[in-house]
Amino acid sequence: MDIKQIYMDADALLHGHFKLSSGNHSEYYLQSAKVLEDPKTAAILAKELAKQIRESGLDVDTICSPAIGGLIAGFALASALECRYIFTERVDGKMTLRRGFTVEPGEKILICEDIITTGGSAMEAAAEVERLGARVVGFAALANRGFCKREGSDLGRKPNCKLPKNLPLFALADFDFEMYSPDECPLCKSGSEAIKPGSRGN
Ligand code: ZN
């Protein structure tokens, strides 16, 4: 399965000259939600991710996603794995389990995002379900931005990855494109101007 092509076809992997939320510039931009706007594509990607998780032998009771980014990917993955699905959301900035969701002591939870960058939100969701007594057994995402090490990839872990080293990260592909500080950006040097995706109100 050519994950990058699926993202390209869905206009979820943009090529150009972009200003990222970190302030850095990049030739590529991932608009993760776009790849999931077709439920059939979402199901295909989730099925592939579920296959990796099953083949690893990891025992999972429940998928939990941090809202909003992880909601659709997590639900699709739970459908493919035929397991329970819950999500956490921010209340006054704090990641919280609400809406009547509970977890059992020792319940084995896989945290699922659409894309793992450094894993910050995933770790906040993990801390919340563990505070309530569950056990986080791993992490999953459709795409890995290249900071964390995913199962089966040769690409190493970068110092800013927040995920624990002793738990697996399952993802379909590494999207480890280069980022440049604005004063070192070769695209800026060639005279083009960086645009901020989403600047049209989306
Ligand atoms: Zn630039």
Side-chain angles (χ1 to χ4, degrees), residues 103-116:
V103 291
E104 297 292 322
E107 184 172 343
K108 294 184 282 296
I109 296 191
L110 185 75
I111 305 290
C112 182
E113 274 276 25
D114 54 350
I115 176 163
I116 288 283

PDB file of all heavy atoms in Angstrom, residues 103-116:
ATOM      1  N   VAL A 103     -13.011   3.599  32.691  1.00  0.00           N
ATOM      2  CA  VAL A 103     -12.078   2.517  32.350  1.00  0.00           C
ATOM      3  C   VAL A 103     -11.990   1.568  33.540  1.00  0.00           C
ATOM      4  O   VAL A 103     -12.161   1.984  34.691  1.00  0.00           O
ATOM      5  CB  VAL A 103     -10.673   3.060  31.980  1.00  0.00           C
ATOM      6  CG1 VAL A 103     -10.712   3.809  30.668  1.00  0.00           C
ATOM      7  CG2 VAL A 103     -10.080   3.928  33.075  1.00  0.00           C
ATOM      8  N   GLU A 104     -11.731   0.298  33.240  1.00  0.00           N
ATOM      9  CA  GLU A 104     -11.596  -0.721  34.281  1.00  0.00           C
ATOM     10  C   GLU A 104     -10.149  -0.735  34.781  1.00  0.00           C
ATOM     11  O   GLU A 104      -9.241  -0.389  34.015  1.00  0.00           O
ATOM     12  CB  GLU A 104     -11.902  -2.112  33.688  1.00  0.00           C
ATOM     13  CG  GLU A 104     -13.314  -2.288  33.179  1.00  0.00           C
ATOM     14  CD  GLU A 104     -14.336  -2.283  34.300  1.00  0.00           C
ATOM     15  OE1 GLU A 104     -14.052  -2.837  35.380  1.00  0.00           O
ATOM     16  OE2 GLU A 104     -15.411  -1.678  34.106  1.00  0.00           O
ATOM     17  N   PRO A 105      -9.926  -1.176  36.023  1.00  0.00           N
ATOM     18  CA  PRO A 105      -8.539  -1.329  36.498  1.00  0.00           C
ATOM     19  C   PRO A 105      -7.788  -2.299  35.574  1.00  0.00           C
ATOM     20  O   PRO A 105      -8.277  -3.396  35.291  1.00  0.00           O
ATOM     21  CB  PRO A 105      -8.688  -1.933  37.899  1.00  0.00           C
ATOM     22  CG  PRO A 105     -10.090  -1.598  38.312  1.00  0.00           C
ATOM     23  CD  PRO A 105     -10.904  -1.541  37.053  1.00  0.00           C
ATOM     24  N   GLY A 106      -6.643  -1.884  35.073  1.00  0.00           N
ATOM     25  CA  GLY A 106      -5.823  -2.752  34.228  1.00  0.00           C
ATOM     26  C   GLY A 106      -6.297  -2.892  32.795  1.00  0.00           C
ATOM     27  O   GLY A 106      -5.704  -3.650  32.010  1.00  0.00           O
ATOM     28  N   GLU A 107      -7.359  -2.197  32.413  1.00  0.00           N
ATOM     29  CA  GLU A 107      -7.852  -2.262  31.023  1.00  0.00           C
ATOM     30  C   GLU A 107      -6.734  -1.853  30.061  1.00  0.00           C
ATOM     31  O   GLU A 107      -6.068  -0.837  30.260  1.00  0.00           O
ATOM     32  CB  GLU A 107      -9.053  -1.312  30.885  1.00  0.00           C
ATOM     33  CG  GLU A 107      -9.716  -1.370  29.522  1.00  0.00           C
ATOM     34  CD  GLU A 107     -11.025  -0.551  29.496  1.00  0.00           C
ATOM     35  OE1 GLU A 107     -11.555  -0.221  30.578  1.00  0.00           O
ATOM     36  OE2 GLU A 107     -11.482  -0.262  28.386  1.00  0.00           O
ATOM     37  N   LYS A 108      -6.540  -2.689  29.020  1.00  0.00           N
ATOM     38  CA  LYS A 108      -5.397  -2.479  28.117  1.00  0.00           C
ATOM     39  C   LYS A 108      -5.792  -1.516  27.001  1.00  0.00           C
ATOM     40  O   LYS A 108      -6.614  -1.844  26.142  1.00  0.00           O
ATOM     41  CB  LYS A 108      -4.921  -3.825  27.563  1.00  0.00           C
ATOM     42  CG  LYS A 108      -4.350  -4.724  28.664  1.00  0.00           C
ATOM     43  CD  LYS A 108      -3.785  -6.015  28.142  1.00  0.00           C
ATOM     44  CE  LYS A 108      -4.849  -7.050  27.812  1.00  0.00           C
ATOM     45  NZ  LYS A 108      -5.637  -7.522  28.966  1.00  0.00           N
ATOM     46  N   ILE A 109      -5.192  -0.349  27.024  1.00  0.00           N
ATOM     47  CA  ILE A 109      -5.596   0.730  26.126  1.00  0.00           C
ATOM     48  C   ILE A 109      -4.493   1.092  25.145  1.00  0.00           C
ATOM     49  O   ILE A 109      -3.321   1.227  25.519  1.00  0.00           O
ATOM     50  CB  ILE A 109      -6.035   1.981  26.941  1.00  0.00           C
ATOM     51  CG1 ILE A 109      -7.275   1.610  27.757  1.00  0.00           C
ATOM     52  CG2 ILE A 109      -6.295   3.173  26.026  1.00  0.00           C
ATOM     53  CD1 ILE A 109      -7.991   2.757  28.415  1.00  0.00           C
ATOM     54  N   LEU A 110      -4.887   1.219  23.865  1.00  0.00           N
ATOM     55  CA  LEU A 110      -3.991   1.704  22.818  1.00  0.00           C
ATOM     56  C   LEU A 110      -4.437   3.126  22.476  1.00  0.00           C
ATOM     57  O   LEU A 110      -5.609   3.357  22.164  1.00  0.00           O
ATOM     58  CB  LEU A 110      -4.112   0.794  21.587  1.00  0.00           C
ATOM     59  CG  LEU A 110      -3.161   1.074  20.429  1.00  0.00           C
ATOM     60  CD1 LEU A 110      -1.751   0.587  20.744  1.00  0.00           C
ATOM     61  CD2 LEU A 110      -3.650   0.381  19.164  1.00  0.00           C
ATOM     62  N   ILE A 111      -3.507   4.069  22.557  1.00  0.00           N
ATOM     63  CA  ILE A 111      -3.824   5.464  22.260  1.00  0.00           C
ATOM     64  C   ILE A 111      -3.647   5.691  20.755  1.00  0.00           C
ATOM     65  O   ILE A 111      -2.596   5.364  20.199  1.00  0.00           O
ATOM     66  CB  ILE A 111      -2.880   6.420  23.031  1.00  0.00           C
ATOM     67  CG1 ILE A 111      -2.909   6.138  24.541  1.00  0.00           C
ATOM     68  CG2 ILE A 111      -3.213   7.878  22.706  1.00  0.00           C
ATOM     69  CD1 ILE A 111      -4.183   6.501  25.249  1.00  0.00           C
ATOM     70  N   CYS A 112      -4.687   6.225  20.098  1.00  0.00           N
ATOM     71  CA  CYS A 112      -4.618   6.402  18.633  1.00  0.00           C
ATOM     72  C   CYS A 112      -4.805   7.866  18.217  1.00  0.00           C
ATOM     73  O   CYS A 112      -5.772   8.519  18.613  1.00  0.00           O
ATOM     74  CB  CYS A 112      -5.675   5.533  17.954  1.00  0.00           C
ATOM     75  SG  CYS A 112      -5.618   5.653  16.147  1.00  0.00           S
ATOM     76  N   GLU A 113      -3.886   8.341  17.403  1.00  0.00           N
ATOM     77  CA  GLU A 113      -3.908   9.690  16.825  1.00  0.00           C
ATOM     78  C   GLU A 113      -4.048   9.583  15.307  1.00  0.00           C
ATOM     79  O   GLU A 113      -3.856   8.508  14.741  1.00  0.00           O
ATOM     80  CB  GLU A 113      -2.571  10.387  17.123  1.00  0.00           C
ATOM     81  CG  GLU A 113      -2.525  11.092  18.463  1.00  0.00           C
ATOM     82  CD  GLU A 113      -3.134  12.493  18.370  1.00  0.00           C
ATOM     83  OE1 GLU A 113      -3.973  12.747  17.486  1.00  0.00           O
ATOM     84  OE2 GLU A 113      -2.753  13.332  19.199  1.00  0.00           O
ATOM     85  N   ASP A 114      -4.354  10.687  14.636  1.00  0.00           N
ATOM     86  CA  ASP A 114      -4.268  10.666  13.166  1.00  0.00           C
ATOM     87  C   ASP A 114      -2.807  10.733  12.743  1.00  0.00           C
ATOM     88  O   ASP A 114      -2.357   9.997  11.890  1.00  0.00           O
ATOM     89  CB  ASP A 114      -5.118  11.779  12.526  1.00  0.00           C
ATOM     90  CG  ASP A 114      -4.791  13.163  13.053  1.00  0.00           C
ATOM     91  OD1 ASP A 114      -4.036  13.287  14.046  1.00  0.00           O
ATOM     92  OD2 ASP A 114      -5.302  14.137  12.468  1.00  0.00           O
ATOM     93  N   ILE A 115      -2.064  11.635  13.387  1.00  0.00           N
ATOM     94  CA  ILE A 115      -0.632  11.734  13.109  1.00  0.00           C
ATOM     95  C   ILE A 115       0.110  11.974  14.414  1.00  0.00           C
ATOM     96  O   ILE A 115      -0.346  12.746  15.261  1.00  0.00           O
ATOM     97  CB  ILE A 115      -0.343  12.839  12.077  1.00  0.00           C
ATOM     98  CG1 ILE A 115       1.169  12.990  11.864  1.00  0.00           C
ATOM     99  CG2 ILE A 115      -0.948  14.178  12.459  1.00  0.00           C
ATOM    100  CD1 ILE A 115       1.529  13.732  10.617  1.00  0.00           C
ATOM    101  N   ILE A 116       1.221  11.272  14.574  1.00  0.00           N
ATOM    102  CA  ILE A 116       2.077  11.497  15.741  1.00  0.00           C
ATOM    103  C   ILE A 116       3.183  12.457  15.321  1.00  0.00           C
ATOM    104  O   ILE A 116       3.951  12.148  14.400  1.00  0.00           O
ATOM    105  CB  ILE A 116       2.690  10.168  16.253  1.00  0.00           C
ATOM    106  CG1 ILE A 116       1.642   9.289  16.937  1.00  0.00           C
ATOM    107  CG2 ILE A 116       3.873  10.454  17.202  1.00  0.00           C
ATOM    108  CD1 ILE A 116       1.247   9.678  18.351  1.00  0.00           C
TER     109      ILE A 116
END
